[in-house]
Amino acid sequence: MSRKAVGTVDKTEKICYNSFITCNMEVDPMSTILLAGGAGYIGSHTAVSLLDSGHDVIIADNFSNSCPEAVSRVEKITGKSVKLYELDIKDTDKLSAVFSENNVDAVIHFAGLKAVGESVEKPVVYYRNNIDTTLSLLECMSRYGVKNIIFSSSATVYGEENPVPYTEEMKRGTCTNPYGWTKVMMEQILEDAAKADPELSVVLLRYFNPIGAHESGMIGEDPQGIPNNLMPYVAQVAVGRREKLTIFGRDYETPDGTCRRDYIHVCDLADGHVKAIDYALDHKGTEVFNLGTGTPYSVTEIVETFQRVNGIEIPHVYGSRRAGDLPESYANADKALSILGWKTRRDLADMCRDTWNWQKNNPDGYRK
Ligand code: NAD
Ligand code: UDP
């Protein structure tokens, strides 16, 4: 096993950026949470929320879409150390060693490939990575008696048929790409595992559209190559790395003709994982939660808000529709509020401001 220790920071160096949950959520007793794929965008923000809440965090990542610097920055923000393993989650032998060396209470499974377009080009790579990481985690959990897993699912599982706003009891729909199908399949695999083992607790978190960054500007989204997603593209136009944004379609049946999505601040999303961990540790069986705001914004509204909040012009043109895009996708977020006691705290202006704060401080992402 290749274990890679990341330098830990002196506790006195902690920079105080309290997330909203820290004031009232000191965890007792402390749990040890393994974040598979925890060096990535959502994982690194979740690591901050978990550490701020008193949990211990272990990260296992192969850095296929991230880098160790993100973990060092998590340590700097929180003043706490993270145990870091560089490994492929599919490698069950190496993953086993992580479980044997640590008393893991719960796993959060972020370790997936996530580019929709790439999944159409390389379906086998996507099925292999996303399904095998899930099976490997479940096998190790079974071997070491770990009974709690939180899974990074997606609103994409609602597919094309379901009407908005999406509620958790709707049937999973028909996806338009292999990435979406891996999420549908992984949900099914996890549900089946929980049916077979009555001690297992599975929480399926269906994320909507995470954007924004930690308010410190030290961690954020760092896509490799040309961004596929809207907000990183806007941010790279703002910082001068891209000339202009193309808005995909303005003839949808929406108020301004552009698609509407449920954008959620990544720190609110991260806080949702802390609530989900607390829930999982107390329950058994499978539970599904939407993590969204419940309020959709159009592409044009995103661009206008980014420009207004940050005082930067985003040159943009309107192009044709992007294949596979739904006109609208947004959550009914009532269940997460009533059962987890979670709701979003940050608005669209916060999302745009924090995205720009990250991008302007790190014009080339983590690669300086
Ligand atoms: P990300 O790419 O930033 O993070 C994923 C991490 O997993 C990366 O650090 C990557 O290196 C790691 N990884 C991938 N395969 C691995 C493997 N075989 N072994 C070890 N590490 C591996 O992506 P993210 O935006 O943080 O997303 C996290 C999860 O949330 C993914 O499963 C993604 O599908 C899901 N999700 C993301 C969004 C979004 O818009 N960002 C929306 C819905 C769901
Ligand atoms: N979008 C766009 N231009 C871009 C990237 C995205 O107009 O360069 C639009 C896209 O068509 C969709 C919305 O922005 O309507 C959100 O897209 P994203 O890829 O961020 O998330 P999705 O909801 O597709 O997962």
Side-chain angles (χ1 to χ4, degrees):
M1 186 195 63
S2 83
R3 179 177 155 192
K4 190 163 182 174
V6 166
T8 60
V9 293
D10 187 318
K11 302 288 183 279
T12 55
E13 274 183 52
K14 174 177 178 171
I15 308 165
C16 284
Y17 295 106
N18 286 338
S19 67
F20 282 107
I21 50 169
T22 52
C23 327
N24 52 10
M25 274 201 61
E26 200 62 27
V27 174
D28 186 29
M30 188 185 286
S31 303
T32 298
I33 318 298
L34 171 62
L35 309 192
Y41 173 47
I42 301 170
S44 57
H45 288 81
T46 301
V48 169
S49 288
L50 288 166
L51 290 163
D52 279 349
S53 301
H55 290 292
D56 280 343
V57 167
I58 302 165
I59 289 179
D61 203 302
N62 65 357
F63 304 121
S64 56
N65 197 37
S66 58
C67 58
E69 174 64 14
V71 181
S72 298
R73 295 194 187 183
V74 166
E75 294 186 313
K76 190 91 175 160
I77 291 168
T78 59
K80 295 183 177 166
S81 55
V82 171
K83 209 165 179 184
L84 177 61
Y85 291 85
E86 181 174 359
L87 56 81
D88 191 323
I89 303 291
K90 298 196 292 297
D91 186 333
T92 313
D93 289 341
K94 285 186 179 166
L95 186 62
S96 274
V98 178
F99 283 86
S100 75
E101 287 173 18
N102 301 281
N103 287 318
V104 175
D105 294 299
V107 171
I108 308 184
H109 179 16
F110 300 102
L113 298 174
K114 63 165 186 176
V116 170
E118 189 184 53
S119 79
V120 177
E121 306 293 321
K122 302 175 182 169
V124 177
V125 172
Y126 270 66
Y127 286 113
R128 169 68 79 193
N129 191 74
N130 292 0
I131 308 290
D132 264 9
T133 50
T134 307
L135 296 174
S136 184
L137 283 166
L138 285 169
E139 280 174 13
C140 287
M141 287 172 61
S142 167
R143 205 173 293 162
Y144 290 92
V146 177
K147 296 296 180 187
N148 305 292
I149 181 164
I150 315 291
F151 174 59
S152 296
S153 191
S154 165
T156 195
V157 303
Y158 289 108
E160 298 177 301
E161 303 90 339
N162 286 303
V164 287
Y166 300 133
T167 51
E168 290 87 346
E169 80 284 355
M170 289 172 173
K171 280 193 190 322
R172 290 183 283 256
T174 307
C175 294
T176 55
N177 56 75
Y179 165 76
W181 283 120
T182 68
K183 292 295 180 197
V184 168
M185 291 174 190
M186 290 185 284
E187 285 200 357
Q188 186 68 52
I189 289 167
L190 287 158
E191 273 180 22
D192 289 345
K195 269 186 213 147
D197 178 358
E199 292 300 306
L200 200 61
S201 176
V202 168
V203 178
L204 307 176
L205 297 180
R206 293 179 180 160
Y207 307 158
F208 282 70
N209 288 57
I211 58 172
H214 190 263
E215 63 179 330
S216 63
M218 292 172 65
I219 55 173
E221 188 166 14
D222 183 20
Q224 295 177 2
I226 301 170
N228 299 302
N229 299 113
L230 176 63
M231 191 51 110
Y233 203 104
V234 168
Q236 291 195 9
V237 172
V239 84
R241 281 171 67 182
R242 314 268 159 215
E243 186 193 343
K244 60 178 183 298
L245 171 76
T246 300
I247 296 180
F248 299 139
R250 68 188 311 188
D251 58 350
Y252 287 98
E253 286 189 21
T254 57
D256 65 17
T258 65
C259 294
R260 299 203 302 169
R261 296 285 180 274
D262 187 338
Y263 297 94
I264 173 174
H265 197 296
V266 68
C267 293
D268 281 330
L269 188 72
D271 292 349
H273 291 73
V274 180
K275 299 285 194 180
I277 284 287
D278 290 347
Y279 177 88
L281 293 172
D282 260 2
H283 292 81
K284 297 179 196 317
T286 302
E287 203 57 77
V288 186
F289 296 101
N290 287 338
L291 294 185
T293 67
T295 305
Y297 289 101
S298 72
V299 179
T300 304
E301 287 174 308
I302 295 292
V303 173
E304 283 170 355
T305 308
F306 190 96
Q307 293 184 136
R308 178 177 54 75
V309 168
N310 297 315
I312 297 172
E313 197 197 338
I314 303 297
H316 56 279
V317 294
Y318 289 90
S320 49
R321 292 183 178 196
R322 183 173 70 177
D325 274 347
L326 298 174
E328 296 193 295
S329 166
Y330 58 96
N332 175 318
D334 293 351
K335 185 176 174 189
L337 176 60
S338 64
I339 297 181
L340 300 180
W342 172 88
K343 68 174 169 44
T344 58
R345 311 287 291 266
R346 296 147 175 105
D347 64 16
L348 187 60
D350 297 325
M351 300 181 214
C352 291
R353 187 198 57 237
D354 291 339
T355 298
W356 177 231
N357 188 38
W358 151 254
Q359 188 72 73
K360 74 170 187 255
N361 286 321
N362 305 271
D364 296 312
Y366 291 110
R367 295 166 292 275
K368 284 196 187 161

